[in-house]
Amino acid sequence: MCTQEAFQAQRSQLVGLLVSGSLEGFESVLDWLLSWEVLSWEDYESLSLLGQPLSHLARRLLDTVWRKGPWGCEQLIAAVQEAQADSQSPKLCGHWDPHSPHPAQDLRSHRPAIVRRLHSQVEGVLDLAEERGFISPYECDEIRLPIFTSSQRARRLLDLAMVKVNGLAPFLLQHVAELPVPKALPFEDAACKKYMSKLRTTVSAQSRFLSTYDGAESLCLEDIYTENVLEIRTEVGMAGPPQNCPATQGLEELFSTRGHLNEDADTVLVVGEAGSGKSTLLQQLHLLWAAGRDFQDFLFVFPFSCRQLQRVAKPMSVQALLFEHCCWPDVGQQHLFQLLLEHPDRVLLTFDGFDEFKFRFTDHERHCSPMHPTSVQNLLFNLLQGNLLKNARKVLTSRPDAVSACLRKYVRKELALKGFSEAGIELYLRKRHREPGVADRLISLLKATSALHGLCHLPVFSWMVSKCHQELLLQGGGSPKTTTDMYLLILQHFLLHTSPPDSAPRGLGAGLLRGRLPTLLHLGHLALRGLGTCSYVFSAKQLRAARVDSEDVSLGFLVRAQRAVPESTAPREFLHITFQCFFAALYLALSAAAPPSSPRYLFNCHQPGGSLLARLLPTLCVPGSRCKEDSVAALLQGAEPHNLQITAAFLAGLLSQDHRSLLAECQASEKALLRRQACARRCLAHSLHKHFHSIPPGVPGEAKSMHAMPGFVWLIRSLYEMQEERLARQAVRGLNIGHLKLTFCSVGPAECAALAFVLRHLKWPVALQLDHNSVGDIGVEQLLPCLSVCKALYLRDNNISDRGVCKLIEHALHCEQLQKLA
């Protein structure tokens, strides 16, 4: 028997147990205490206050139970044990009389079992209860708040039934009894329990700490993780009422029924631009599962990296994939694998970075045997299709451009990761900088510099701002405006931190850059060769081939690969794919081995409407050049288009007038630099003109309309990186369109700045349609300079708040040509 004195002596350990998980685990303990009548309904309500820190609620629970005497203390310890056991090995649900004369009392006494039964069916039960009039739409919306998990929604519904007298309690008691009973799994098997524990420990160790992009520090993920905007993507023209704004949801709703495109598919697709936080989102998912805080429907979670998988050359089976490349079972391999095959609904596989997988998705080669080996790409493709491990959930992350229509046929649900909201940027910076005043000064700087603020909606730029906060706060003016400016700033930061104290100037001068030019060229050559061969993880042999030595690695841009395939020497990868593209652009701008005409390969061979022959034979663009296997032309020919676009934008920025003097000091031939600059300007203007000339003529009597494609947005971004007003005027000279449509083109704040930079030079007013993008309040601010040339502006479904609308209207009142805002 537990005495009150012994209970008090264990108080700190009990608090630790109650707060070690999440609110979900704490509420599970309350379920048991409520069902055993240890807690009264008034006690329970005082312990269910939203917004209270979990530690406060845990201490209040201990105080409440202690006042009930030794029996209450003993029951609390038993409830903690029951909750822990249930999270590891769910028990079969209990039985009750569905026609009980005391339904509210039975809902309470069988509460843990009913919550377990309701867990996966709560959405359907809520719909039915609302349809029959037991709960109002307002009550239903309150229960469905995105902050609640499925179990928490089930509890809120039961709480409502305890206080309503309209028949909700008997309805729930009867309807829940008719729901299917969750299957019991053979978890008591020693080998299975041992493997489950090892898998959770392994995944927890991999996800608990967030390595910063530079690998210089490890931060506790729980302390730094900041929610991104996660939007549900739906098919255009889908049946149902039109939405006034994009539907958003939290990470905990990743597997909810909202937004299903194909009920028979297994794969949840998360798309986002480079640097939007896809990998960190998956890491948070893994941590929540490993800690027992969420996603507990899955008993086995296997995380994979596509950039690592593509390095596997030998054929392998599903069993080899799970056990050899994720977590090896010490005993009972065949028994455990059979268990996974028999219960795939308890298995989750995550694949990060599909855009970095060099094999393009195809469903031509079917492979259905989990026992027989096949190529790694065929294995992955058949897992995504459901030919292997059908009913196991798969989460795939990718940049949007890498997802084909063929792959989308096998997607159950698609979500778009939009990066940080304005509040998210502030929250992230406050988490990163807890020193008094630092975060406030950084946030003030961002709000005063709209271009930099617009970049920071992508987490990778928020990290850069955080990393370079001293440089940003100390410089008197001239904050970064373009993506290239920001990457040059982070380059300066790394160069200064690896230079001896007081031996280098405080800015990115020619001396600082020239002193490490061999290192930058070695890294640039490695980056370009990697892009050309779709390689993003580099072995020691590849590093030697690019002449990258330990001194080059010490600069900090190459870090140990995460979840690397075991080998004698740990492979290396760039901090982020965008850094690899930046160094490739730096090589093209500075290396004597790169031909001055190299911009043609970037801007001409992927232009809108470009011929297939130009894509396959890029040397035809440059008379007299020959495409050798390792030449610049061959490498750019083999690179993925979305990586080429990022590289092209960086090259345009490096060749801008703003950075001409910096590059000129590092060039052996200034003539070559001038030729590169002239070539880039000419190619950009030519590509845009060709895009404009491809617009079909307008219908007689109607304004000419242009529906731009994402390639147009990339060209505008590249033009913006050059920051040349004359070139922007030249690019849109003679463009006479009445309607420019840019819907569903992933236009964010940075793209808005680029559009305004170019479109403000139009001679004739235009109706600009930007519906279904990610403009936001920051993007609205970026669009203001081109408002005077707009006769109409459409910004539906763009997450614009009332503050953003007010700012837009305030400026629109001074624009005589603007006739419509929507």
Side-chain angles (χ1 to χ4, degrees):
M1 183 173 179
C2 179
T3 64
Q4 287 177 292
E5 291 76 18
F7 184 85
Q8 284 293 83
Q10 300 176 43
R11 183 180 176 92
S12 59
Q13 292 93 326
L14 288 171
V15 170
L17 278 174
L18 290 169
V19 303
S20 61
S22 64
L23 189 60
E24 173 75 29
F26 178 79
E27 290 186 347
S28 182
V29 172
L30 296 185
D31 290 341
W32 287 103
L33 294 176
L34 201 58
S35 68
W36 294 337
E37 298 186 353
V38 177
L39 297 178
S40 66
W41 188 251
E42 291 74 22
D43 293 332
Y44 170 77
E45 288 184 322
S46 71
L47 294 164
S48 303
L49 299 176
L50 285 177
Q52 290 290 313
L54 186 54
S55 57
H56 291 187
L57 295 176
R59 291 185 176 90
R60 188 180 300 168
L61 173 61
L62 295 181
D63 293 339
T64 302
V65 169
W66 184 83
R67 288 194 293 268
K68 296 181 182 292
W71 173 78
C73 300
E74 202 167 59
Q75 293 297 91
L76 173 63
I77 294 173
V80 171
Q81 293 170 345
E82 289 284 355
Q84 288 180 331
D86 201 42
S87 69
Q88 297 295 326
S89 177
K91 299 178 181 178
L92 285 173
C93 294
H95 300 280
W96 57 87
D97 179 9
H99 304 289
S100 167
H102 307 290
Q105 183 177 337
D106 279 14
L107 284 179
R108 174 172 169 169
S109 58
H110 295 282
R111 185 180 176 96
I114 291 174
V115 168
R116 170 64 59 183
R117 186 85 68 93
L118 263 176
H119 176 267
S120 58
Q121 308 286 337
V122 67
E123 297 296 331
V125 175
L126 279 170
D127 289 339
L128 189 59
E130 183 182 354
E131 181 184 321
R132 296 191 181 180
F134 292 118
I135 58 176
S136 67
Y138 173 78
E139 291 168 332
C140 194
D141 289 342
E142 285 289 300
I143 293 173
R144 279 181 165 144
L145 285 174
I147 59 173
F148 298 137
T149 65
S150 296
S151 295
Q152 289 171 327
R153 289 173 185 171
R155 292 185 182 99
R156 267 71 190 167
L157 181 58
L158 294 180
D159 294 349
L160 200 58
M162 299 296 292
V163 297
K164 290 180 79 77
V165 293
N166 64 347
L168 177 59
F171 160 77
L172 287 177
L173 198 66
Q174 182 174 350
H175 187 73
V176 174
E178 297 169 359
L179 294 175
V181 178
K183 295 179 181 178
L185 300 181
F187 299 129
E188 298 308 314
D189 179 85
C192 181
K193 292 178 70 175
K194 183 177 180 180
Y195 182 67
M196 289 169 60
S197 175
K198 181 179 180 180
L199 181 61
R200 281 185 184 271
T201 304
T202 301
V203 174
S204 176
Q206 292 174 349
S207 7
R208 188 165 298 278
F209 293 99
L210 178 68
S211 293
T212 53
Y213 289 107
D214 57 350
E217 56 182 331
S218 290
L219 305 168
C220 181
L221 182 62
E222 285 185 299
D223 293 339
I224 200 66
Y225 182 75
T226 306
E227 286 283 350
N228 280 5
V229 178
L230 199 59
E231 288 183 0
I232 301 173
R233 293 171 69 104
T234 55
E235 294 285 358
V236 179
M238 230 178 131
Q243 294 179 324
N244 294 326
C245 60
T248 60
Q249 65 175 43
L251 174 60
E252 68 281 351
E253 292 183 284
L254 197 63
F255 303 102
S256 70
T257 56
R258 294 174 63 201
H260 279 186
L261 303 173
N262 182 354
E263 293 285 351
D264 298 322
D266 300 333
T267 301
V268 175
L269 174 65
V270 179
V271 296
E273 298 301 325
S276 59
K278 301 182 293 295
S279 298
T280 306
L281 178 117
L282 276 189
Q283 188 173 336
Q284 175 72 353
L285 183 157
H286 299 151
L287 179 62
L288 291 174
W289 173 79
R293 295 167 54 185
D294 213 335
F295 308 109
Q296 296 308 293
D297 286 346
F298 303 111
L299 301 176
F300 305 92
V301 172
F302 298 96
F304 298 100
S305 163
C306 289
R307 65 162 53 179
Q308 296 289 350
L309 283 180
Q310 73 176 5
R311 291 165 54 84
V312 180
K314 65 177 183 179
M316 63 177 171
S317 64
V318 175
Q319 183 173 346
L321 174 71
L322 301 182
F323 292 166
E324 294 179 22
H325 293 272
C326 189
C327 182
W328 177 258
D330 298 319
V331 292
Q333 291 89 355
Q334 292 303 323
H335 169 70
L336 282 167
F337 186 59
Q338 190 60 38
L339 178 65
L340 297 179
L341 294 179
E342 290 174 359
H343 304 283
D345 56 312
R346 292 305 186 95
V347 178
L348 170 64
L349 297 91
T350 65
F351 300 97
D352 187 29
F354 184 71
D355 52 281
E356 297 175 355
F357 199 59
K358 64 183 176 183
F359 306 101
R360 295 303 92 199
F361 179 82
T362 174
D363 56 4
H364 294 326
E365 188 176 349
R366 189 176 292 269
H367 182 85
C368 301
S369 170
M371 309 295 184
H372 294 90
T374 185
S375 63
V376 67
Q377 66 268 30
N378 200 31
L379 190 65
L380 174 57
F381 297 162
N382 280 276
L383 280 167
L384 296 178
Q385 292 173 69
N387 298 329
L388 294 169
L389 286 184
K390 178 62 182 171
N391 294 326
R393 285 287 176 266
K394 297 99 181 179
V395 179
L396 183 71
T397 69
S398 176
R399 280 182 274 178
D401 294 341
V403 181
S404 64
C406 181
L407 174 57
R408 279 195 165 92
K409 293 190 300 184
Y410 304 101
V411 169
R412 183 183 186 90
K413 180 178 183 176
E414 183 173 348
L415 299 155
L417 195 61
K418 297 295 187 177
F420 289 151
S421 63
E422 192 168 353
I425 295 172
E426 292 190 21
L427 180 59
Y428 173 80
L429 292 176
R430 293 192 186 283
K431 287 183 175 183
R432 286 288 280 124
H433 299 281
R434 301 181 187 273
E435 308 94 327
V438 174
D440 290 331
R441 292 170 63 198
L442 266 178
I443 292 167
S444 298
L445 174 68
L446 289 182
K447 289 182 176 180
T449 317
S450 62
L452 183 58
H453 203 188
L455 292 174
C456 285
H457 84 285
L458 289 180
V460 67
F461 285 102
S462 290
W463 171 78
M464 288 186 195
V465 166
S466 173
K467 191 72 179 174
C468 302
H469 70 280
Q470 291 182 336
E471 289 90 337
L472 287 168
L473 293 175
L474 288 175
Q475 61 187 15
S479 292
K481 294 172 63 177
T482 67
T483 301
T484 308
D485 292 343
M486 199 66 222
Y487 277 76
L488 284 172
L489 181 66
I490 199 80
L491 175 61
Q492 168 193 319
H493 177 87
F494 276 66
L495 289 173
L496 288 174
H497 277 69
T498 54
S499 301
D502 303 323
S503 66
R506 296 311 300 168
L508 188 60
L512 181 62
L513 199 61
R514 192 168 52 243
R516 297 301 296 269
L517 186 60
T519 290
L520 300 180
L521 291 178
H522 293 163
L523 293 176
H525 188 210
L526 178 70
L528 184 61
R529 291 181 67 175
L531 293 180
T533 57
C534 297
S535 298
Y536 310 103
V537 179
F538 305 99
S539 65
K541 182 179 179 181
Q542 290 172 304
L543 294 178
R544 286 193 298 271
R547 300 170 63 190
V548 174
D549 56 24
S550 57
E551 184 181 353
D552 300 334
V553 172
S554 69
L555 186 58
F557 287 100
L558 282 175
V559 294
R560 288 179 180 271
Q562 296 183 357
R563 288 196 291 272
V565 177
E567 56 181 70
S568 57
T569 305
R572 297 277 174 172
E573 62 186 357
F574 281 91
L575 306 178
H576 191 261
I577 184 61
T578 54
F579 282 97
Q580 186 168 345
C581 294
F582 173 73
F583 274 97
L586 203 58
Y587 180 82
L588 294 175
L590 291 176
S591 174
S597 56
S598 55
R600 296 191 189 185
Y601 302 120
L602 289 168
F603 294 111
N604 274 6
C605 297
H606 293 278
Q607 60 193 347
S611 68
L612 180 61
L613 186 63
R615 174 66 174 111
L616 296 177
L617 300 173
T619 51
L620 295 179
C621 299
V622 187
S625 65
R626 300 182 64 86
C627 185
K628 298 179 181 179
E629 185 177 344
D630 199 33
S631 68
V632 169
L635 291 171
L636 294 177
Q637 178 185 358
E640 290 294 334
H642 41 268
N643 289 334
L644 278 188
Q645 291 181 357
I646 298 173
T647 306
F650 278 132
L651 183 59
L654 290 169
L655 296 176
S656 68
Q657 287 294 113
D658 291 346
H659 304 304
R660 177 181 173 181
S661 59
L662 179 66
L663 266 60
E665 291 292 331
C666 301
Q667 284 274 355
S669 168
E670 187 173 354
K671 184 178 178 181
L673 175 61
L674 293 174
R675 287 178 62 191
R676 286 188 176 96
Q677 289 177 324
C679 184
R681 292 191 190 97
R682 187 168 58 251
C683 287
L684 261 177
H686 174 75
S687 296
L688 276 168
H689 286 151
K690 190 163 184 178
H691 193 103
F692 295 149
H693 291 155
S694 66
I695 306 168
V699 178
E702 294 185 10
K704 191 176 181 180
S705 179
M706 169 185 168
H707 191 164
M709 303 303 288
F712 169 75
V713 178
W714 154 62
L715 288 170
I716 293 290
R717 280 292 301 269
S718 299
L719 196 60
Y720 177 71
E721 292 293 318
M722 295 201 85
Q723 287 290 297
E724 294 189 24
E725 299 279 352
R726 182 181 59 81
L727 190 59
R729 281 193 296 271
Q730 178 188 349
V732 296
R733 185 180 57 202
L735 179 62
N736 184 11
I737 54 172
H739 186 193
L740 177 57
K741 190 175 182 181
L742 281 160
T743 56
F744 296 103
C745 284
S746 300
V747 175
E751 288 74 23
C752 289
L755 282 169
F757 179 78
V758 176
L759 296 182
R760 63 183 174 176
H761 298 292
L762 286 171
K763 292 184 179 179
W764 295 277
V766 65
L768 181 59
Q769 188 169 356
L770 291 170
D771 298 333
H772 312 292
N773 283 295
S774 309
V775 172
D777 291 351
I778 304 174
V780 166
E781 189 175 345
Q782 308 283 30
L783 286 172
L784 297 179
C786 73
L787 215 56
S788 59
V789 299
C790 293
K791 60 183 178 183
L793 181 60
Y794 301 89
L795 291 168
R796 290 167 289 212
D797 295 357
N798 270 291
N799 286 319
I800 299 171
S801 70
D802 291 346
R803 187 167 62 85
V805 172
C806 290
K807 180 174 290 188
L808 183 63
I809 293 174
E810 179 185 344
H811 283 76
L813 292 174
H814 302 286
C815 300
E816 295 180 0
Q817 296 186 109
L818 187 59
Q819 302 168 6
K820 183 177 182 180
L821 288 175

